[in-house]
Amino acid sequence: MPQILRIGPYSIYFWSNEGNPLEPVHVHIAEGRANASATKIWITSTGRAILSNNNSKIPEKVLSRLIRLVEANSAEIIEEWLNRFGEIKYFC
């Protein structure tokens, strides 16, 4: 799993295969290692972050900070997505 950011115990990453057809740009967040039940955050065309699910049950206060971090780094995340997957679609 390509790790994008690491904040304390939390890893922000893409899966190596994000679906066929390719899903809209998003990141997964998990405490520790990447796993199938990770929290999923969509990134919009304006760089905002929208919670898809909190499957990894990150506490709300921590999750809010992580979402702000994703938004602050959205341009770099979008660029990395495009470099890795060759195309980009947005949730909205």
Side-chain angles (χ1 to χ4, degrees):
M1 299 333 110
Q3 183 173 289
I4 306 304
L5 298 166
R6 180 134 187 113
I7 309 304
Y10 295 96
S11 178
I12 300 174
Y13 58 93
F14 303 139
W15 283 112
S16 295
N17 178 1
E18 288 290 0
N20 188 6
L22 187 65
E23 290 188 56
V25 63
H26 64 278
V27 294
H28 301 274
I29 304 175
E31 188 170 5
R33 299 175 57 97
N35 64 70
S37 64
T39 294
K40 186 175 188 177
I41 307 289
W42 299 108
I43 300 174
T44 70
S45 60
T46 62
R48 299 291 309 220
I50 299 173
L51 179 64
S52 172
N53 68 61
N54 188 10
N55 288 347
S56 54
K57 300 183 181 4
I58 298 169
E60 193 167 326
K61 187 175 182 180
V62 173
L63 183 59
S64 292
R65 283 186 266 156
L66 291 168
I67 288 173
R68 286 193 307 272
L69 180 70
V70 168
E71 288 178 338
N73 290 280
S74 64
E76 292 83 4
I77 292 169
I78 290 167
E79 183 178 338
E80 181 62 29
W81 180 280
L82 188 56
N83 289 337
R84 183 161 302 281
F85 299 111
E87 66 177 280
I88 198 154
K89 293 187 251 177
Y90 294 100
F91 179 72
C92 61

